[in-house]
Amino acid sequence: MTKLGNSDLDVYGLNLGCNVFNFTADEETSHAVLDAYASAGGNFLDTADVYGGGGGSETIIGNWLTKRGRRDDIVVATKVGAWDQRPGLSAANITAAAEDSLRRLQTDHIDLYYAHKDDQDTPLEETLSAFDALVRAGKVRYIAASNYSAERLTEALSISDREGFARYVALQPHYNLVERGYETDLAPTVSREGLSTLPYFALAMGFLTGKYRSADELGDSPRAPRAVKYLDDRGERVLAALDSIASAHGASVASVALAWLRVQPTVAAPIASARTPEQLTDLVASVVLELTGDEVEALNKASV
């Protein structure tokens, strides 16, 4: 377990992405994935009001939490601001969206509540005041940001400090072996401010599983066309390095890619999703896979 930022949330080293629930995984399959994840020791779910066709993912999670009696064991993270039926980060929208999420999740509190994406049409003071009210009411334990620039994140944290509002404890950026822009400006900000990072698209939409080696191997995954964009010289170098290290450990390419991400400065847990319990196996294996310093450096060099 890893402590999340300056919170008292202890989270597993793999944040289970639940964006596939009610999308490519029905409720029965989603519950099987959740059962397998919890059995492996996992305790950290990532969802959003927009996932699963709008509310679908949260509803499936809420049903599972209630049926299994696991609410006290699980850290539930959800988000507000990206769903076209509940857009933006106005105080009114945040308040209403939180109530909707609480109802779908069948709980009286959200452990980690994200601003899903920056809303530059709403003053940060209004957004943060609304989040703070939810924290003070006990409906949200901690707040976090997703898809913020370093400048806007710094400004938001400064406002929270000045006004005494609840402070973001984590950031969710796009970050993986073939998307390393986070390291340039966001990583120093996150480190300086004492936040934790929870990277999304940790497997580059499937590319870092090694499944897509050519444009002829797309299969039926809806993410496949986007994954193929990484099939250039750099992508092939990364896959070659992953193949070598995976072979040395008797592990999968996906496990190695997640293990690399997990040991990066500020990262608490990569986010990755599984459509089936079988897909989950390689994801949870990454939590106990220890890469050597030389292996981490080889992946760093291949991916620059």
Side-chain angles (χ1 to χ4, degrees), residues 257-268:
L258 292 173
W260 174 87
L261 197 50
R262 184 172 51 82
V263 300
Q264 297 309 303
T266 76
V267 172

Side-chain angles (χ1 to χ4, degrees), residues 80-164:
V80 58
W83 186 17
D84 58 9
Q85 294 190 32
R86 285 262 181 232
L89 298 174
S90 68
N93 191 60
I94 288 172
T95 302
E99 293 296 337
D100 289 346
S101 289
L102 288 167
R103 173 178 50 78
R104 287 188 291 262
L105 290 165
Q106 301 179 45
T107 184
D108 62 356
H109 70 278
I110 296 164
D111 296 299
L112 188 66
Y113 201 30
Y114 283 94
H116 201 157
K117 62 180 182 179
D118 192 8
D119 175 9
Q120 299 201 23
D121 294 328
T122 301
L124 284 168
E125 289 85 352
E126 178 180 343
T127 295
L128 293 165
S129 177
F131 279 138
D132 182 70
L134 290 172
V135 172
R136 291 179 185 275
K139 295 180 179 182
V140 168
R141 293 180 66 189
Y142 296 98
I143 60 172
S146 179
N147 297 305
Y148 271 52
S149 67
E151 180 181 14
R152 290 282 285 178
L153 180 61
T154 300
E155 184 180 358
L157 293 168
S158 177
I159 290 169
S160 288
D161 291 342
R162 184 187 73 217
E163 302 296 332

Side-chain angles (χ1 to χ4, degrees), residues 21 26-39 60 64 68 275-278 280:
F21 295 172
D26 61 18
E27 180 154 349
E28 182 179 0
T29 305
S30 299
H31 283 191
V33 169
L34 289 166
D35 286 338
Y37 175 70
S39 294
I60 284 175
W64 180 80
R68 302 294 189 267
R275 288 183 291 164
T276 66
E278 291 74 24
L280 187 67

